[in-house]
Every structure is written in C-alpha cells, then in structure tokens.
Amino acid sequence: MGQELRALTAWEQDTLGRVAGLSGVQVIQHIHGDRSEVKLGVRVWIAKYFDTKTTEPISFYLSGLEELLAWQPNSNDEFNVSAVPLAKRQPPLLSRRPRTLVCHDMRGGYLEDRFIQGSATSNPYVFYHWRYIDIFVYFSHHTVTIPPVVWTNAAHRNSVPVLGTFITEWTDGEKLCEAFLAGGEEAYSAVAEQLARIAQHYRFDGWLVNIENTLNAAAVANLPLFLRELTARVHSAVPGGLVIWYDSVLKDGTLRWQNELNEQNRIFFDACDGLFTNYNWKEEQLERTQRLAGPRQNDIYVGVDVFGRGDVIGGGFDTYKSLRLIRQFGLSAAIFAPGWVYEHLGKENFLQNENRFWASLAEYLPTHSICTLPLTTSFSLGMGTSTFQDGKDEDSGPWYDLSAQDVQPLYPEDQGVLTTSCCLQDAWCGGSSLQLQGTFPPGEERVAVRLFSLQMPAPPKLFLTLLYKLEGPQPDDFTVTLEVTTGDSEMCFEGNPTSLPEPNGRYHPRFLPAPPPGLAKLLAACQRGSHGWTSRCYELELQGCSLQDLFVIVSRQQPSLQETSFTCLLGEVRVLDTASVAASPPQVYGVTASQLWWQEGPEPGQLSLSLTLRWSFPPGRARWFRVLSQGARCRLGQTAPQVLGLAQGCLFRAVGLLVPQPAPGQSCRLELLVEPVLRDELPVDPERWGRLVLVYSAPGGGTAGSDGH
C-alpha cells in the first residue's frame, strides 16, 4: 500500500471513524502515525477488559481495597454486564424448603470461562444440572471475585441466582480489614456501597463474604454493622439479592472455623441472609445448628467438600452421605468444588461422570420448575466438538461458550429402564442433543421421560414442537410424542366444556401435519426435519388448567413380551403460547462500530480487522443475536454470509476478520449483519435484521461511501 495501516485510538475513532446519518453506512479513513504510539493507545482500552493479544472481551476481578474503592462503570466493561435476566421459578427461592448452593472453585478461576464470547477449547468444564440447585457462587482468592458473565447468563437462563465472592485472607487480609472495618462507618459503608453497585451494574445477585483472617477489636466490632449495611444495600440495588456469610471469624475476632451455627458466630448470621458452614461437621453439630437457627434453618448452608478434604463425611461419589444427613435436619447444603468430577476423574469422560455424580445426589436435591413461556431448548451445553445448525455440522472445531447454553432439562434416571445424557456427536442446533437410552420391560409399551417440571396457568392454546432422531437397527419400530400433564383442578378440561374434567390429567397434544394457514410462515419448522431428524408440531387447547410437567413418550409400535432397547436423540423442544406467536417481531436498528483495530496480514494482500458492534433492540424480546459477515469486497459481487458468533446483548466484538487490502485510490466494503433469535426461536425476516456497511480505503486515498439500509 506504500503506507502502513495502524489501529485507530479511541479519540481518533470518535473524530474520524463515525459518520452520522449515513443510513447504516460507516466510513472509515486510515491515518498515519507512529506505530509505538498506536500500540500504547490500544493497550489503554484493552488492559483490563480485553485480551491483550486478540482484543477479545474478557471477564476480570478486582485486587485489593484501593481497586475496589476506585471502581467505576465505563464503556469498556459493557461486555461484562449480564444480558440475561434471572428467569422466574417455582417455588420461589426463599420458600420454606431446604436449598442447594453450589460453590464453584476451580484452579483459581478465570480460566477459559473468562472469554466472554467463547473460545476454541476442547473438553471444557461445564455445569448443566441447574434444575437441582438454587444458588451458584463463583469463588476465587482474589479480593473481589466478579462472576464471569458467561456463568451469570447460563445460570439466569435456568432460574439460578449468582453470587460473587468478597474475600480477605491471612496477613494481607488483616491489613485490608483494618483499613475498612477499623476505620469506622464511613469506611465500611463505602465498601458496602461499592460491592452493591458492582452487583447491580454487572447484574449478578449478591455476595459470599469470606473473612479468613483474625480481626482486632475495632474491626470485629464493626463487622456485623458492615454485613447489615451490605445486605441492606444489596437488597435495595438488586431485586432478590443475597449476602451469605462464610463460617470463619468469631465474634471476638479469632479465626476459628466452627462447622456449625453457635453463639460464637451467630451475630454474623443474624446480620445477613445466610451462613455457609465449614465442612468438618458431625451429626450432633447439625442438630445444634437446627435448634439454634429456628425458623431460619433453611438459611443455613451446610458445607460439603466434594474433594473430601479433612475430617468430613463422604466426598466424591459418597457425597450423597453428607446430603442425606443434612436433609434429615431440614438444613440447606453448600456443595463446594463439584469440579472434582472434572479435576479428579479427568476430562475425557467428564459428561458421563458428571451425570453419574448428580444422579447419585438427585434424591436429596429438591428441583425447581419453569413458570413462564415460551419454553425453548435445543439442549446445548454451551460447548461442543462441532457447531450444528438445522441438523448439519457447520464447523468441525471445538468451542466453549457458557452464555450459549440452553435451558437444561431434569436429566432423569431410572435404573435399568432409562438413562439421559448429552450427545456431542449429533445435534440439531448448537453443540449437543439430549440422548435417551432406554429399555421396554416385557409387556410394557411405552417409556415416559419427564423433561421439565412446569408450574404455571395454561394459556388457552399451546403450540408444541419436537425434533428427534431414533437410532438403532429398527427405528421404525418406535414412535416419539409429547405429553403434557396438568395439576388437580375441577375446572380443568381440554378442548370444549363438554370434556370431562380429569384431575392430574395427562394430555396428548393433537398432531399437526401442517400448521394453520395464518401461522404457516412462522411455524415452518413443522416441515423442517432434515439430516435424519424428524419434526413434529402439536396443538393443545386447555381451559382452567395448570401446567405441571412436560414428558416425551417413546412407544413401541407393536406389543411384545420381549425386552426391547431404544436410543432417541432429542434435538429441540418448544412450548409456545399461541397468543404470543402471532406478534410481529421488532427490528434491529442503530448498528454502529467502534474500537477498530487494524493489522497487516497474515497473507499478502490481506488485513485483519477487529471492531465492536453495538445496536438497539427491545429488551427481553431476543434470546440472543447471531452476528454474520457478508464478507468484504473491493469489487462488485456477493459472498455467502458467515456466522461470526452469538451475542447475548446488543453488542459484539468481531475479532480477526480477514479483509482484502485496498489498492491506492480504491475503497472496499465490509457488510455485517445482526440477526435476532427470538425467545420462541421463530424466524425473523432478514429485512428486520440489523445491517452495517463499513467502507475503508488506503491511507491518502480519501474516504468513500456507499448506500446502506
């Protein structure tokens, strides 16, 4: 080109990069300058929030009191804000029943899960048994552990709140605590205010507070006041927010773990929402804890170390022994480091071992139900060895992005009759499908698999869709259907008022070979089975009913006294309220680009471009967004769209786009598209997608423009 391309600094982007009012076209002009100066400019905005090698957005933590008190929101941390609201659930979290907290502690945290838009990771750690747990804590030994946003997105989609960790430890912790606790009300109020603001800004749900160091008299005197202040501020700033205290320091400032609630630590329990006990308890301590907690016994989270370190009951695949005792006293449980399955047993057979581990605990884990529609899932874990789209393998490389994890089912097990597991080898959409492997006992003609517990009033009319694939030597010997159960209601009936009421009824939705004419375009999925997948659509009319469970039923075509085995992959299930299906989707608008970073190569005649896209879309309407590139070209022509990735909110950073290098005096165009994927997954016409055209030229070649829409 004769002159060197370089990255635009932030102020240069603002002054030269944005051209308002060009109807979707953005004009970029390259300028000259010293490369070292430019690298410094780039490093300023990527230091904490972006990977220094690629400029990919990353999650981060805060170290020390100074960094906590200096924290302020800024435009570079937008990727760390969860775009997925906490889904409603039944029963509510604070119902009078024992709860289950999971504390994630793995190798210091912020590993591959720090990459907000995912990474090409093989055999990563994933958690997906969300129906069995009530609270998720992301733990690390940094002073302020802000949960990586991918965890918050996945947990929220599955109705589970997420807590960060505020921790002080050992000698440095003593100094830190003395600075903010012994300093009086102004000092500890400032810390409480910052922690509440951080949870509110990044949209997670509160804090685990872990003071693991001795405290002087002044500091320990203010500790309950700090906890009360923090709890009040979190409750005010975060709907449903929580503050939980870890069993560590005593009321006299001594560091001594109690493994129970007692008069030495009760003052801290009384100041917040719950106590997470240490792990070395015995049965008599559970009994004393239950008695002392009284009506707040569900706010005691009895610690269970899955690694079985110290003098503990159970651990590993014997963890159920701890759970069994804890539940006998009506107490909640805090399962610490369930990543033992991954770390101890290895990652090659992780999914099988993970299912085995949680199946061993299921008897002691109360589940929670979905209570809003639409319910849509492709069962993707947020990882895979390939990416599938409409049953086709689109990309054969490994990937990991917990934000892309779907709503997860119950993973039921019935010894000798049924197992459910994740299948990475074949899927309809995303990275995995749900594999059902079962056996028909002699004389039995059907196996019922409860996928989801539902608890909500039934709308007058439901549409349901199912995508499945039967495997094995004789798949035509079986049929697969959906079944909906309803709660006990004298007023509940199907279709018309002449139907007889059936308490705790089981309803088989009416199969639709084709959708009604008015919905044919929206429900084109009824005929979209391909690559061996079978697609089915159903309709169900109910009046005065309460939805209870969603089952998939596998049936034998012919009665038999022989034991028969089957394997079925579920690719997608949807339960839709017909009234909402008819609503027309909104449009993506206001797409802009910023934070552009140009590099040469890697091949002659090529450039590498990274940039941040932002757009607008009504809150709550999109499940996520697919960002696509129509390709860059310097001459007339068209290229097929390429998916760049998924965005959870209205921003995405495209990294390392390879574009042609323009010749002197030549301008090139890069077209980027934003496709909203609605919560019901019904398709959105391309004219409602967002579109941005970037026009770029060689230095000294002037700017160029083009029409957009």
Side-chain angles (χ1 to χ4, degrees):
M1 294 179 64
Q3 303 198 40
E4 189 178 49
L5 288 174
R6 69 172 180 81
L8 299 176
T9 62
W11 69 267
E12 289 166 346
Q13 292 160 24
D14 288 339
T15 55
L16 295 175
R18 296 192 180 201
V19 180
L22 288 183
S23 185
V25 178
Q26 190 162 0
V27 181
I28 306 299
Q29 181 182 33
H30 297 302
I31 57 179
H32 310 276
D34 177 69
R35 177 170 286 277
S36 62
E37 220 176 84
V38 173
K39 285 186 176 179
L40 180 62
V42 172
R43 196 171 290 120
V44 167
W45 62 263
I46 68 175
K48 180 182 288 290
Y49 312 106
F50 300 88
D51 181 74
T52 54
K53 295 179 181 178
T54 65
T55 76
E56 294 174 86
I58 56 174
S59 293
F60 64 94
Y61 52 83
L62 303 178
S63 298
L65 190 60
E66 184 177 347
E67 192 171 5
L68 168 60
L69 293 175
W71 175 86
Q72 291 291 340
N74 71 75
S75 60
N76 288 323
D77 70 358
E78 291 174 280
F79 286 96
N80 285 278
V81 177
S82 173
V84 182
L86 179 60
K88 295 179 181 179
R89 51 163 276 178
Q90 287 291 342
L93 177 66
L94 299 183
S95 300
R96 295 290 296 275
R97 71 169 192 172
R99 304 177 204 119
T100 306
L101 177 152
V102 157
C103 191
H104 175 69
D105 174 39
M106 182 175 286
R107 298 171 183 165
Y110 300 97
L111 304 175
E112 294 300 315
D113 54 5
R114 76 186 185 278
F115 292 103
I116 294 172
Q117 293 179 172
S119 64
T121 303
S122 299
N123 300 314
Y125 175 78
V126 291
F127 180 82
Y128 51 94
H129 288 86
W130 297 107
R131 298 287 135 217
Y132 297 100
I133 79 164
D134 300 292
I135 300 168
F136 182 85
V137 177
Y138 195 85
F139 182 87
S140 81
H141 291 275
H142 304 290
T143 307
V144 179
T145 299
I146 299 170
V149 68
V150 296
W151 283 103
T152 305
N153 289 338
H156 279 186
R157 189 170 286 122
N158 286 279
S159 311
V160 175
V162 176
L163 307 186
T165 304
F166 176 61
I167 188 171
T168 65
E169 298 178 285
W170 316 123
T171 304
D172 288 343
E174 288 183 44
K175 296 176 182 176
L176 191 152
C177 287
E178 187 171 346
F180 87 92
L181 285 174
E185 181 178 358
E186 184 178 352
Y188 69 69
S189 291
V191 171
E193 180 183 9
Q194 286 292 80
L195 290 173
R197 289 179 67 215
I198 288 169
Q200 180 185 46
H201 178 70
Y202 296 115
R203 297 180 188 167
F204 60 96
D205 306 288
W207 295 98
L208 171 69
V209 179
N210 186 0
I211 306 296
E212 297 211 62
N213 48 260
T214 58
L215 297 175
N216 62 31
V220 77
N222 284 328
L223 182 53
L225 302 177
F226 163 69
L227 281 176
R228 289 190 184 279
E229 177 92 0
L230 175 61
T231 303
R233 287 184 179 273
V234 167
H235 288 179
S236 175
V238 180
L242 294 169
V243 174
I244 294 176
W245 170 256
Y246 181 67
D247 162 29
S248 52
V249 174
L250 306 185
K251 63 182 182 181
D252 65 358
T254 304
L255 176 62
R256 190 165 67 242
W257 299 268
Q258 298 296 286
N259 305 296
E260 64 177 317
L261 173 68
N262 59 32
E263 292 301 336
Q264 297 300 313
N265 58 20
R266 181 174 182 171
I267 190 172
F268 308 120
F269 173 61
D270 291 341
C272 64
D273 296 306
L275 170 70
F276 179 156
T277 79
N278 195 45
Y279 316 101
N280 300 302
W281 46 265
K282 295 293 178 276
E283 185 172 353
E284 58 269 20
Q285 292 175 297
L286 299 183
E287 185 178 0
R288 290 198 297 266
T289 295
Q290 179 199 42
R291 190 166 57 249
L292 190 58
R296 289 192 65 195
Q297 66 183 33
N298 299 146
D299 295 336
I300 302 292
Y301 301 87
V302 180
V304 177
D305 182 6
V306 180
F307 277 84
R309 291 163 287 203
D311 183 14
V312 302
I313 297 170
F317 286 116
D318 288 331
T319 298
Y320 73 92
K321 296 177 180 178
S322 298
L323 267 291
R324 183 171 58 198
L325 265 178
I326 292 166
R327 299 311 194 203
Q328 286 176 9
F329 293 94
L331 301 170
S332 295
I335 301 174
F336 183 76
W340 169 86
V341 176
Y342 185 86
E343 294 187 65
H344 182 71
L345 300 177
K347 52 190 179 183
E348 286 72 21
N349 297 310
F350 166 64
L351 296 180
Q352 297 93 313
N353 290 326
E354 180 79 343
N355 287 336
R356 177 188 166 197
F357 175 78
W358 287 97
S360 73
L361 304 182
E363 180 182 352
Y364 308 105
L365 303 177
T367 61
H368 50 88
S369 304
I370 291 170
C371 63
T372 56
L373 295 180
L375 166 59
T376 303
T377 182
S378 299
F379 305 102
S380 183
L381 300 180
M383 54 83 69
T385 56
S386 295
T387 302
F388 294 86
Q389 183 67 34
D390 294 338
K392 181 184 177 184
D393 186 347
E394 294 283 320
D395 180 6
S396 58
W399 63 279
Y400 175 51
D401 181 2
L402 285 173
S403 285
Q405 187 181 92
D406 270 306
V407 172
Q408 293 297 304
L410 286 165
Y411 292 94
E413 299 281 335
D414 188 351
Q415 195 68 35
V417 176
L418 175 76
T419 61
T420 56
S421 59
C422 314
C423 175
L424 301 177
Q425 289 70 46
D426 199 359
W428 175 255
C429 181
S432 56
S433 57
L434 186 67
Q435 181 173 267
L436 311 178
Q437 291 180 299
T439 300
F440 292 96
E444 294 289 334
E445 308 307 328
R446 64 175 235 159
V447 173
V449 184
R450 186 169 70 122
L451 295 179
F452 294 98
S453 174
L454 310 172
Q455 196 169 333
M456 69 188 90
K461 184 183 287 188
L462 291 168
F463 277 118
L464 304 95
T465 68
L466 170 67
L467 271 154
Y468 68 91
K469 179 184 288 190
L470 284 163
E471 297 187 327
Q474 295 176 307
D476 293 339
D477 290 349
F478 308 99
T479 60
V480 183
T481 57
L482 291 176
E483 182 177 273
V484 175
T485 65
T486 60
D488 189 355
S489 171
E490 294 181 1
M491 299 298 295
C492 176
F493 54 85
E494 182 179 2
N496 59 70
T498 62
S499 302
L500 293 175
E502 184 181 358
N504 298 306
R506 311 183 80 90
Y507 294 101
H508 299 92
R510 181 170 63 91
F511 173 60
L512 291 174
L519 294 169
K521 185 176 180 181
L522 290 176
L523 289 176
C526 296
Q527 295 95 19
R528 65 179 176 153
S530 60
H531 301 283
W533 293 88
T534 300
S535 177
R536 292 284 184 263
C537 283
Y538 304 89
E539 184 180 62
L540 179 62
E541 294 183 63
L542 296 170
Q543 295 189 35
C545 297
S546 174
L547 299 181
Q548 191 171 62
D549 291 297
L550 178 67
F551 285 85
V552 64
I553 308 296
V554 182
S555 305
R556 285 200 274 205
Q557 295 276 35
Q558 300 295 329
S560 174
L561 295 178
Q562 301 296 315
E563 188 176 88
T564 309
S565 298
F566 68 88
T567 299
C568 177
L569 300 182
L570 298 184
E572 182 182 80
V573 170
R574 297 189 292 177
V575 182
L576 312 177
D577 179 353
T578 310
S580 66
V581 168
S584 61
Q587 183 159 359
V588 176
Y589 62 95
V591 186
T592 62
S594 62
Q595 296 174 322
L596 284 86
W597 189 34
W598 297 89
Q599 290 180 296
E600 293 178 324
E603 301 293 333
Q606 274 187 336
L607 301 172
S608 174
L609 169 64
S610 300
L611 75 164
T612 298
L613 293 175
R614 290 176 172 82
W615 59 89
S616 297
F617 197 76
R621 294 296 302 273
R623 185 183 184 194
W624 45 53
F625 301 87
R626 295 171 77 223
V627 181
L628 306 96
S629 168
Q630 192 71 51
R633 55 193 183 277
C634 302
R635 298 177 180 82
L636 293 177
Q638 195 77 8
T639 57
Q642 174 192 359
V643 178
L644 301 180
L646 290 180
Q648 301 301 307
C650 293
L651 77 167
F652 180 82
R653 182 149 185 85
V655 175
L657 298 178
L658 297 181
V659 299
Q661 179 174 301
Q666 183 185 44
S667 63
C668 302
R669 296 162 48 95
L670 170 66
E671 187 171 354
L672 300 168
L673 306 171
V674 179
E675 175 193 4
V677 179
L678 303 184
R679 291 180 61 224
D680 54 19
E681 282 224 335
L682 297 175
V684 176
D685 288 334
E687 60 263 24
R688 292 185 174 274
W689 298 4
R691 176 176 175 266
L692 179 74
V693 177
L694 293 175
V695 181
Y696 63 98
S697 61
T703 62
S706 179
D707 293 333
H709 71 268

